[in-house]
């Protein structure tokens, strides 16, 4: 046997997904670790090359904006899977469903009766003055009372391995196609491992998505016409839009393909003439969706779409205005929402959050910047945040000033540890930090993906997992405990 | 079956670009072959390829000499000349990228692989040593994609618009090659008398028509029989008449297809009436010129009838 590329590492500071603190494999990871131990570095390099080639040939890509140019990059992938036992996942999955239900009840409430605001559970100004609170949505309630039909929640695991929800992406969460492609690639390059494991399949996602979307249709008599609305080829997630449309057998449309007629129905232009659309899975931000209701200068959207939606002539997922619950200030109140609407205790932990709009919290944050992660309430993709312990004094001062100028716009959280997993970097296997984005579908029913998209910070010690900033990804396995 | 107008347009162009890439590869391959068989003075110059694409002006802006290297660079290596293989392949890929939802995974993978291959090898394909391999790969890979269209797609509007794009592009290329070939061979005059059969054989070869021709007309090849075969054969699937008959079948199930059908039928009638055997080189050229206008007209009608969206 050739020398192994496996150098067991000890990891006392962070939770490792596959190894114990002493460097032994966790029970669920035993077979995989054994396999890696028995594989030479050359053989691993070959497999990685095969994976890279597969990704390139399958055309799995994402688009990065750099210096005003669009670059289509191959999706970065690490071939060692992350393995989570089904018994643990079950609890996470239940917690996500609970959380999602509460979030949707919240959105429906704030656009209608506003009970939670009147009862003082969530401060009214936090919601009503937020740019995410969309006035054109007030007084409407979509089918099933559900606004955020597709949610991607970001989870991390702290030192003890406990899962925490870091944020809920309720606008247009992306990444699910990479979850599906990662599994495809792993099947092709590590087929042996599948013999020893009973792994929950992920490939029925497009079917589940289609069923959920179909359950939103305003027309129940006929097979609903479902479309995916994309901003176009220059969007960073275009690959995914096309992938999902194809997986569902739905049309992938751009704004110019749709129009709203005087009867408030939405039609798409086809070679057979106009065809009525029932459900729009939109992958375009609220602001650009309808120049009539939101930004007038948007060339991507469809004038009158909100009108059609309010008239109940078309379903839009996620519903416009869902972003009101996707806000880092609102995040702090999710445990309270769960208690308020569901009369249940939260099953999944949230990260303790300091709201800079509150004087006491703000004071604490300003005095402890070097310990905290400061985030703008309203950005995604890991932009505009400060990781206190990793930032210099100048950055601390800059953020102190930003917070004082606009306290509503900032929150702070303790620096949590992010779990690690063995990752094949260059020629050796080393620990790298990761997070997890499962996807939750809610229409007539609620469903959670088994696992989700694991994102990896490929640079040593880095905590930034976003693909736009050098992150990679791994296949995520939910495995039955007893093989 | 629903097909977005915008998607229909991209499918049509996907097929046109793929067919163009393949036709360019075949033409270049058979021409390179021919040049090696013939003594200097009995073969047309390299710029005959540029003339085939009506690209003299664009070519002239870039190069002074009609050398083999320049012509090959222009057709095989440049990304930004609209008649090059890399340009056609890039555009084919862009069109698949935006229509993947209605195509099979295979098709996307094959087109993407073709694109990656061309990106990597096009610049080295100028030298004769590597040229064959490059052209063969392009031909084989485009064949594979066309075969995937045949085997993995429902016979619905998606398949229809792809096939229409291919038929139109093929008719366009076939008539161009015939026209340029006839003029070039005529220009060689008495010099080429002894090799005329070889030259016309090459024109057939460039359209995958040589064996099929022999089975219809026997081993002797001249202008009249070649032109008759390429324009009017109802047996050979790459002939112009065959393509027009295909068009009629493709158009019939589409809504509001009357204007397009009328024009195709008119073109078919003109083609049928044209007496190739009696035509001089000039008359052949004149006929092809008029016929090219018909192709442009059919293309325009297809665009107006089915690719129009409300925003335009």
């Amino acid at each position: 046997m050739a020398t192994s590329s496996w150098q067991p590492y000890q990891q006392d500071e962070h939770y490792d997904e596959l190894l114990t603190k002493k460097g032994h494999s966790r029970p669920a990871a035993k077979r995989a670790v054994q396999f890696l131990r028995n594989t030479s570095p050359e053989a691993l390099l070959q497999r990685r090359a095969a994976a890279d080639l597969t990704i390139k040939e399958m055309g799995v890509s994402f688009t990065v904006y750099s210096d005003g140019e669009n670059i289509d990059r191959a999706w970065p992938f690490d071939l060692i899977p992350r393995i989570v036992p089904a018994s643990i996942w079950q609890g996470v999955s239940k917690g996500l469903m609970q959380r999602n239900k509460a979030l949707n009840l919240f959105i429906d409430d704030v656009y209608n009766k506003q009970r939670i605001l009147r009862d003082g559970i969530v401060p009214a100004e936090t919601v009503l003055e937020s740019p995410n609170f969309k006035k054109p949505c007030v007084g409407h309630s979509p089918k099933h009372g559900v606004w955020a039909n597709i949610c991607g929640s970001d989870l991390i695991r702290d030192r003890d391995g406990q899962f925490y929800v870091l944020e809920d992406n309720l606008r247009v969460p992306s990444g699910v196609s990479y979850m599906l492609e990662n599994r495809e690639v792993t099947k092709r390059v590590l087929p042996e491992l599948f013999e020893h494991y009973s792994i929950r399949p992920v490939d029925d996602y497009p079917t589940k998505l289609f069923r959920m979307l179909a359950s939103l249709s305003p027309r129940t008599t006929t097979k609903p016409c479902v479309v995916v609305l994309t901003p176009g080829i220059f969007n960073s997630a275009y690959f995914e839009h096309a992938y999902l449309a194809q997986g569902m057998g739905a049309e992938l449309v751009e704004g110019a393909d749709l129009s709203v007629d005087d009867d408030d129905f939405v039609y798409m232009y086809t070679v057979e003439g106009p065809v009525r659309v029932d459900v729009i899975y939109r992958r375009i931000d609220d602001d650009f969706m309808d120049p009539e209701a939101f930004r007038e200068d948007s060339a991507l959207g469809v004038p009158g779409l909100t009108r059609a939606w309010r008239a109940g002539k078309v379903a839009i997922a996620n519903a416009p205005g869902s972003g009101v619950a996707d806000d880092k200030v609102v995040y702090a109140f999710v445990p309270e929402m769960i208690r308020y609407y569901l009369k249940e205790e939260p099953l999944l932990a949230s990260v303790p959050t300091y709201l800079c709009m509150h004087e006491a919290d703000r004071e604490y944050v300003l005095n402890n910047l070097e310990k905290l992660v400061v985030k703008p309430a309203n950005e995604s993709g890991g932009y505009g945040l400060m990781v206190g312990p990793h930032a210099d004094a100048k950055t601390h001062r800059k953020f102190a000033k930003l917070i004082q100028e606009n306290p509503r716009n900032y929150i702070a959280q303790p620096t949590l540890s992010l779990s690690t997993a063995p990752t094949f970097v260059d020629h050796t296997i080393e620990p790298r930090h990761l997070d997890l984005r499962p996807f939750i579908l809610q229409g007539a029913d609620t469903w959670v993906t088994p696992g989700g998209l694991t994102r990896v910070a490929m640079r040593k010690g880095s905590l930034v997992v976003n693909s736009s900033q050098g992150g990679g990804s791994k296949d995520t396995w939910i495995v039955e405990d007893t093989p | 079956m629903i097909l977005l107008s915008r998607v229909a347009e991209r499918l049509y162009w996907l097929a046109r670009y793929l067919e163009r890439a393949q036709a360019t590869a075949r033409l270049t391959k058979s021409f390179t072959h021919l040049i090696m068989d013939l003594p200097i003075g009995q073969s047309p110059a390299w710029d005959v390829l540029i003339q085939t694409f009506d690209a003299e002006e664009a070519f002239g802006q870039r190069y002074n000499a009609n050398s083999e290297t320049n012509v090959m660079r222009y057709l095989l290596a440049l990304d930004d000349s609209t008649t090059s293989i890399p340009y056609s392949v890039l555009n084919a890929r862009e069109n698949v990228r935006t229509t993947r939802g209605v195509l099979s995974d295979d098709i996307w993978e094959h087109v993407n692989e073709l694109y990656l291959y061309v990106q990597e090898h096009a610049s080295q394909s100028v030298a004769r040593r590597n040229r064959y391999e490059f052209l063969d790969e392009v031909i084989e890979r485009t064949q594979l994609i066309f075969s995937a269209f045949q085997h993995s797609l429902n016979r619905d509007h998606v398949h229809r618009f792809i096939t229409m794009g291919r038929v139109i592009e093929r008719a366009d290329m076939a008539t161009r090659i015939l026209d340029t070939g006839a003029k070039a061979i005529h220009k060689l005059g008495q010099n080429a008398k002894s090799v005329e059969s070889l030259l016309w054989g090459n024109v057939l070869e460039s359209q995958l028509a040589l064996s099929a021709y022999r089975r219809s007309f026997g081993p002797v090849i001249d202008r009249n029989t070649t032109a008759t075969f390429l324009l009017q054969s109802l047996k050979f699937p790459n002939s112009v008449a065959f393509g027009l008959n295909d068009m009629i079948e493709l158009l019939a199930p589409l809504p509001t297809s009357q204007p397009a059908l009328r024009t195709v039928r008119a073109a078919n009638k003109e083609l049928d009436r044209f007496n190739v055997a009696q035509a001089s080189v000039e008359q052949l050229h004149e006929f092809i010129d008029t016929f090219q206008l018909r192709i442009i007209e059919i293309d325009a009608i297809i665009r107006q009838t089915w690719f129009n969206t409300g925003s335009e």
Side-chain angles (χ1 to χ4, degrees):
Chain A
M1 193 189 74
T3 52
S4 165
S5 48
W6 184 261
Q7 303 294 334
Y9 56 78
Q10 297 212 340
Q11 182 68 283
D12 348 314
E13 207 189 323
H14 310 284
Y15 181 86
D16 192 89
E17 300 282 335
L18 302 193
L19 302 177
T20 64
K21 286 200 190 326
K22 292 196 168 138
H24 302 304
S25 45
R26 296 188 186 279
K30 206 171 147 196
R31 301 269 191 180
V33 170
Q34 207 166 39
F35 173 82
L36 291 170
R37 273 207 185 108
N38 294 337
T39 310
S40 68
E42 293 73 31
L44 264 190
L45 280 170
Q46 273 171 17
R47 305 237 182 182
R48 182 165 64 193
D52 290 347
L53 189 67
T54 308
I55 287 167
K56 211 171 146 192
E57 287 185 353
M58 293 200 308
V60 187
S61 63
F62 69 104
T63 313
V64 194
Y65 299 89
S66 171
D67 301 329
E69 262 184 87
N70 288 303
I71 304 159
D72 210 25
R73 278 205 208 148
W75 176 246
F77 171 77
D78 177 64
L79 77 177
I80 305 173
R82 169 200 214 158
I83 303 172
V84 180
S87 55
I88 291 182
W89 183 251
Q90 200 187 0
V92 177
S93 170
K94 273 191 187 153
L96 287 168
M97 288 195 211
Q98 178 198 51
R99 195 176 168 92
N100 216 244
K101 262 183 216 158
L103 284 166
N104 273 305
L105 288 166
F106 171 76
I107 305 170
D108 203 43
D109 188 16
V110 299
Y111 284 120
N112 291 283
K113 292 188 176 146
Q114 304 189 336
R115 279 169 49 219
I116 200 165
L117 307 183
R118 274 191 283 117
D119 289 347
I121 311 291
V122 177
E125 69 276 12
T126 316
V127 174
L128 304 179
E129 285 163 23
S130 158
N132 298 323
F133 182 79
K134 302 293 182 194
K135 297 226 163 56
C137 303
V138 172
H140 187 66
S141 182
K143 205 169 170 185
H144 314 297
V146 178
W147 293 67
N149 306 100
I150 302 106
C151 167
S153 290
D154 290 343
L155 307 181
I156 56 164
R157 299 180 84 172
D158 201 9
R159 287 173 185 80
D160 52 0
Q162 197 195 350
F163 279 95
Y164 284 83
V165 179
L166 201 59
E167 59 184 57
D168 307 287
N169 296 287
L170 303 173
R171 292 174 243 205
V172 281
S174 62
V176 76
S177 61
Y178 302 119
M179 170 188 88
L180 300 170
E181 292 285 31
N182 284 353
R183 177 63 53 83
E184 282 307 302
V185 176
T186 313
K187 278 186 196 167
R188 290 197 204 184
V189 299
L190 293 175
E192 307 87 331
L193 273 181
F194 285 77
E195 288 168 26
H196 303 300
Y197 280 105
S198 171
I199 305 160
R200 297 253 172 103
V202 291
D203 55 5
D204 57 348
Y205 180 82
T207 316
K208 300 275 189 199
L209 178 64
F210 183 81
R211 284 216 189 110
M212 183 280 288
L213 292 170
S215 83
L216 309 178
S217 172
R219 262 196 298 193
T220 44
T221 46
T222 43
K223 183 178 176 271
C225 173
V226 175
V227 301
V228 179
L229 174 60
T230 175
I233 191 95
F234 299 112
N235 185 270
S236 60
Y238 182 82
F239 168 82
E240 177 159 303
H241 308 160
Y243 184 97
L244 291 175
Q246 188 182 21
M248 294 193 289
E251 298 304 320
L252 178 67
V253 303
E254 295 172 17
D257 295 324
L258 300 180
S259 73
V260 180
D261 221 329
D262 295 336
D263 56 9
D264 285 352
F265 285 116
V266 179
Y267 294 94
M268 61 179 167
Y269 299 105
T270 79
V271 294
E272 304 260 12
V275 169
R276 188 177 148 190
V277 174
D278 298 302
V279 183
I280 299 174
Y281 175 25
R282 52 106 176 190
R283 295 294 302 255
I284 174 170
D285 285 338
D286 281 353
D287 284 349
F288 297 100
M289 210 166 65
D290 177 1
E292 213 177 275
F294 301 104
R295 270 176 67 159
E296 281 172 35
D297 58 340
S298 169
L300 301 171
V302 185
L305 200 53
T306 318
R307 178 160 43 90
W309 173 71
R310 288 198 59 117
K313 303 284 177 76
V314 72
I316 300 177
N318 289 346
S322 301
V324 71
D326 179 354
D327 174 307
K328 295 194 174 60
V329 176
V330 173
Y331 165 91
F333 296 98
V334 176
E336 285 307 318
M337 282 176 207
I338 294 172
R339 293 185 190 104
Y340 182 78
Y341 292 114
L342 304 175
K343 315 274 180 270
E344 290 170 8
E345 275 306 304
L347 300 170
L348 263 180
S350 298
V351 184
T353 302
Y354 302 98
L355 302 176
C356 297
M357 57 194 253
H358 292 162
E359 206 183 322
D361 282 14
R362 182 166 65 242
E363 204 153 308
Y364 176 82
V365 172
L366 290 171
N367 290 328
N368 292 280
L369 281 171
E370 71 290 350
K371 283 192 228 157
L372 299 169
V373 180
V374 179
K375 298 175 180 174
N378 231 324
E379 288 279 342
S380 61
Y383 291 104
L385 65 76
M386 179 196 80
V387 182
H390 295 183
D392 55 20
K394 198 178 149 208
T395 316
H396 290 161
R397 281 198 298 277
K398 184 182 134 198
F399 271 78
K401 191 163 171 262
L402 286 170
I403 291 168
Q404 279 156 338
E405 279 168 8
N406 192 356
R408 163 65 180 83
N409 201 31
Y410 287 91
I411 59 124
Q413 292 168 336
T415 325
L416 288 182
S417 159
L418 256 63
S419 62
T420 61
T423 303
F424 190 44
V425 189
D426 298 329
H427 294 80
T428 52
I429 293 175
E430 292 177 15
R432 287 292 181 270
H433 291 291
L434 29 85
D435 77 351
L436 178 63
R437 178 178 287 184
F439 295 86
I440 305 106
L441 300 181
Q442 195 178 346
D445 311 299
T446 309
W447 180 79
V448 181
T449 51
L453 174 66
T454 289
R455 299 184 298 175
V456 194
M458 297 301 278
R459 267 185 303 122
K460 191 170 189 162
S462 167
L463 299 174
V464 181
V465 296
N466 305 76
S467 55
S468 51
Q469 297 186 43
S473 73
K474 278 171 172 291
D475 191 11
T476 311
W477 292 3
I478 305 303
V479 301
E480 302 305 329
D481 294 63
T482 43
Chain B
M1 217 290 305
I2 286 167
L3 181 63
L4 292 172
S5 298
R6 180 180 47 79
V7 174
E9 183 170 16
R10 289 178 186 171
L11 292 171
Y12 175 84
W13 279 103
L14 159 66
R16 288 201 68 162
Y17 280 118
L18 281 175
E19 179 65 30
R20 194 173 297 172
Q22 190 180 86
T24 311
R26 280 194 197 288
L27 180 64
T28 311
K29 186 184 161 187
S30 57
F31 192 79
T32 304
H33 203 83
L34 177 75
I35 293 286
M36 292 196 278
D37 275 345
L38 293 176
I40 294 166
Q42 290 189 353
S43 66
W46 280 93
D47 62 337
V48 70
L49 295 179
I50 301 296
Q51 288 157 21
T52 309
F53 293 98
D54 283 327
E56 295 95 322
E57 204 184 313
F59 181 83
Q61 280 168 4
R62 215 182 273 261
Y63 301 108
N64 293 322
N66 298 328
S67 66
E68 176 174 355
T69 310
N70 286 349
V71 171
M72 287 299 95
R73 201 170 282 150
Y74 191 76
L75 292 181
L76 308 187
L78 290 182
D79 302 342
D80 59 342
S81 100
T82 52
T83 35
S84 77
I85 289 177
Y87 181 86
S88 291
V89 169
L90 173 77
N91 278 282
R93 181 176 183 264
E94 283 307 293
N95 281 297
V96 188
R97 243 157 77 80
T98 47
T99 52
R100 281 186 68 179
V102 299
L103 298 171
S104 63
D105 288 338
D106 265 46
I107 292 171
W108 162 245
E109 284 193 31
H110 292 327
V111 173
N112 193 41
E113 283 169 27
L114 167 67
Y115 165 78
L116 295 170
Y117 177 82
V118 168
Q119 284 291 302
E120 195 177 330
H121 294 93
S123 58
Q124 292 110 52
S125 68
V126 174
R128 280 191 192 181
R129 184 163 37 87
N130 304 325
R131 197 185 303 160
Y132 267 109
E133 194 188 330
F134 176 75
L135 296 172
D136 274 340
E137 280 283 341
V138 171
I139 293 167
E140 276 168 32
R141 285 168 186 268
T142 44
Q143 288 283 51
L144 188 67
I145 298 162
F146 281 120
S147 139
F149 289 151
Q150 287 310 311
H151 300 298
S152 69
L153 296 178
N154 285 332
R155 291 304 182 266
D156 57 20
H157 292 335
V158 170
H159 186 263
R160 228 158 264 144
F161 281 99
I162 287 175
T163 316
M164 273 161 47
R166 189 176 191 194
V167 168
I168 288 285
E169 185 66 26
R170 195 190 276 154
D172 183 42
M173 283 300 288
T175 46
R176 280 166 187 276
I177 293 171
L178 186 61
D179 186 29
T180 329
K183 275 190 285 184
I185 295 168
H186 183 70
K187 213 171 113 192
L188 290 171
Q190 285 308 314
N191 284 340
K193 219 54 195 162
S194 59
V195 291
E196 205 186 312
S197 193
L198 201 67
L199 290 165
W200 281 109
N202 193 256
V203 170
L204 286 166
E205 174 90 68
S206 72
Q207 303 192 46
L208 209 63
L210 189 55
S211 339
Y213 171 92
R214 284 202 190 105
R215 285 183 60 82
S216 301
F217 289 96
V220 182
I221 310 173
D222 62 24
R223 183 182 68 108
N224 288 347
T225 47
T226 302
T228 306
F229 190 67
L230 290 178
L231 290 175
Q232 292 170 333
S233 169
L234 292 175
K235 282 190 236 160
F236 180 59
N238 291 351
S239 84
V240 177
F242 199 100
L244 289 180
N245 284 334
D246 276 352
M247 270 312 263
I248 291 170
E249 269 177 54
L250 291 162
L251 289 168
L254 283 164
T256 56
S257 59
Q258 279 316 314
L261 274 172
R262 262 198 302 275
T263 314
V264 175
R265 289 209 179 96
N268 216 358
K269 204 173 265 173
E270 286 156 19
L271 184 64
D272 197 44
R273 280 207 209 112
F274 179 60
N275 190 337
V276 182
Q278 309 255 309
S280 63
V281 177
E282 289 76 24
Q283 281 168 326
L284 179 66
H285 171 69
E286 222 165 86
F287 172 76
I288 289 179
D289 244 16
T290 323
F291 194 81
Q292 286 262 332
L293 292 176
R294 277 292 191 198
I295 295 175
I296 292 168
E297 194 186 338
I298 296 168
D299 177 80
I301 294 173
I302 290 173
R303 203 165 355 146
Q304 281 157 19
T305 314
W306 295 291
F307 302 160
N308 236 341
T309 61
S311 62
E312 282 156 53

